[in-house]
Amino acid sequence: MTINIGAIAPATPSVAAPAAIEAQKPKRSLGTLPVSLATIAVIITAWSLASAYGLVSPLFLPSPLVVLKAIYSVAVNGFVDSTLAEHTLASLLRIFAALAAAIVIGIPAGLAIGTSRIGKGILDPIVEFLRPLPPLAYLPLIIIWIGIGEASKITVISLAMLPPIILSTAAGVKSAPADFINAARSFGATRLQILLQVILPSTIPSILTGTRIALGAGWSTLVAAELVAASRGLGFMIQSAAQFLVTDIVIAGIIVIAAIAFLFEILARLLERWFVPWAAHR
Amino acid sequence: MSVLSLQSVSLAFPADRDISRTRLVLDGVTLHLASDEFIAVIGRSGSGKTSLLNLAAGFLKPTSGRVSVDGVDITGPAADRAVVFQDDALYPWLNARDNVAFPLKLKGVAKGARRLLADELLAKVGLENAGSKNIWELSGGMRQRVGIARALASEPRFLLLDEPLGALDALTRTRLQQFLLRVWSDSKTGALLITHSIEEAMLLATRVIVLAPNPGRIVADIPANFGRQLLSGKSLQDIKDSPEYRRLHDGLNGLIHADSEEEAA
Ligand SMILES: Nc1ncnc2c1ncn2[C@@H]1O[C@H](COP(=O)(O)OP(=O)(O)OP(=O)(O)O)[C@@H](O)[C@H]1O
Ligand SMILES: [Mg+2]
């Protein structure tokens, strides 16, 4: 799970006047949407046809309708002692607990790397060690250290989320315009005031981008961690279903996971629009 | 009255290619700015104008010489020397009013008082209705006025302006020049204006300073009173048509050009 630093750079600034941006909006949002919807329709149709004509065994690929029924059945009756909502909630709680921890640790760490030579010296090697490691490689170690409970899963997910948040925060600090800082200095700001009132706000777009990447990394780590050690959660649900060759529930689980990841993405974009409307105008 | 002084100030940067060597950017610059003066610094690109302002602001430390306010050496930037930047440097996450109130917030002024003072300053720069506007909704000229109001909010003794009008169209620029002149004469602060425009320097400043490049040094320090004439109601056209204006304009033009010929030779 290598994270490309280039991808963490803040959104491309737009120099166009607000009026021009307003005028472009309808065109841009219509741009790829019809094509994307058509693609999805084609895939589902092909899937239905393949199942209907028996091209693939239902054991390998149940029809979309069967999968839909599986989703309904898991939602109402549950699977391995929990309903779909309970599995989903268990996963979401882990994700958000891990995200909270990663933000609380990652933002100050990123600020330290970005603003202080000593901070960079201490933290850089740690982040660079952690960053390229697949979280599943250290999951067993974490389990040895802190047991098989919730804490170990949340720790692993947090560790997967930390590098993108730390690195994007540090990159955001670097991209804070020197004039912003100099202006504050010429109005008599202290170092702490500059950090909290100038550097931190200019870093927020970058932090949000990092959080988006972290959610992606965390979500894939979560599912993997639940495959290994859990008694509830979407990853666990898929793993159990696979053991009994209940393929419709495996696919149902995958679709739910994809849908949630997609919702995260939309949520992150909305947050960006609410929190940093100015980022698009910089 | 306060005085901002640069005494035999020199500044060297690491040379472009060879870091072990240095390049002299300013050489023995001596300049005293009283808090009722308006000094304009003109000079070709690369002559060290911005470096001079950065030294006065405290963003840079001189390689040799002293920078002081009322005889006390400065230790860095401080609220008595507020800077207005070429690309406004307004904070986009704050609206116009909160940008103006920013220096007050740093000083711990309470929210209500801050708001009141900021609105007063916005009115002073002719933007009474723009307080809750976002920065990106403002035109370039409006942004510079917010930047000037913000600098005034820190109640500086000296305003340091690095080509604040450089990026504006000619019409807006002329309007803001007269506006700047009025702000300066009302606020009783000293002003150090960096500019590329001889005309702007002459119309605003009580002293025009010419910086020659390589290394940057003061080659002329000429008093001017066209700004005072403008303030006392004389028309811009009349001033520009006057022989004394023409003479100074030609003189300054010659100084800047003489310098480039000398370099070519
Ligand atoms: N941080 C720096 N490191 C090295 N050299 C620098 C640095 N800042 C400026 N210089 C050099 O010092 C010289 C003077 O620069 P300065 O920005 O003060 O000129 P200026 O008169 O403001 O020019 P302009 O009119 O283009 O703004 C230039 O040759 C520039 O290349
Ligand atoms: Mg300059």
Side-chain angles (χ1 to χ4, degrees), chain B residues 6-43:
Chain B
L6 285 79
Q7 273 156 338
S8 331
V9 164
S10 298
L11 179 70
F13 279 122
D16 296 335
R17 278 153 205 262
D18 181 1
I19 311 179
S20 63
R21 293 210 338 251
T22 57
R23 197 160 75 79
L24 204 55
V25 168
L26 287 174
D27 185 17
V29 170
T30 296
L31 178 65
H32 301 281
L33 170 66
S35 55
D36 62 349
E37 272 185 305
F38 195 134
I39 292 184
V41 179
I42 54 177

Side-chain angles (χ1 to χ4, degrees), chain B residues 13-14 16 23 25 43-52 163 196:
Chain B
F13 279 122
D16 296 335
R23 197 160 75 79
V25 168
R44 297 218 324 276
S45 189
S47 55
K49 304 183 295 295
T50 297
S51 305
L52 180 70
E163 300 197 46
H196 264 113

Side-chain angles (χ1 to χ4, degrees), chain A residues 100-128:
Chain A
I103 284 176
V104 166
I105 298 168
I107 292 177
L111 290 177
I113 289 182
T115 54
S116 131
R117 205 170 42 84
I118 295 172
K120 186 174 163 64
I122 294 173
L123 293 170
D124 247 3
I126 301 176
V127 176
E128 286 308 315

Side-chain angles (χ1 to χ4, degrees), chain A residues 18 178-190 193-194 197-199 201-202 277-279 281-282, chain B residues 58-59 77-83 85 87 89-93 102-103 105-107 136-137 150-151 154:
Chain A
D179 278 358
F180 281 11
I181 295 162
N182 277 342
R185 295 211 294 155
S186 94
F187 304 138
T190 62
Q193 283 176 323
I194 290 175
Q197 297 187 43
V198 180
I199 293 178
S202 26
W278 47 269
H281 301 274
R282 211 149 70 163
Chain B
F59 299 147
D80 60 345
R81 287 158 279 131
V83 179
F85 296 83
D87 357 85
L90 296 174
Y91 301 125
W93 53 86
F102 182 76
K105 189 176 179 197
L106 295 177
K107 282 182 188 160
W136 64 84
E137 296 172 309
R150 179 177 69 169
S154 81

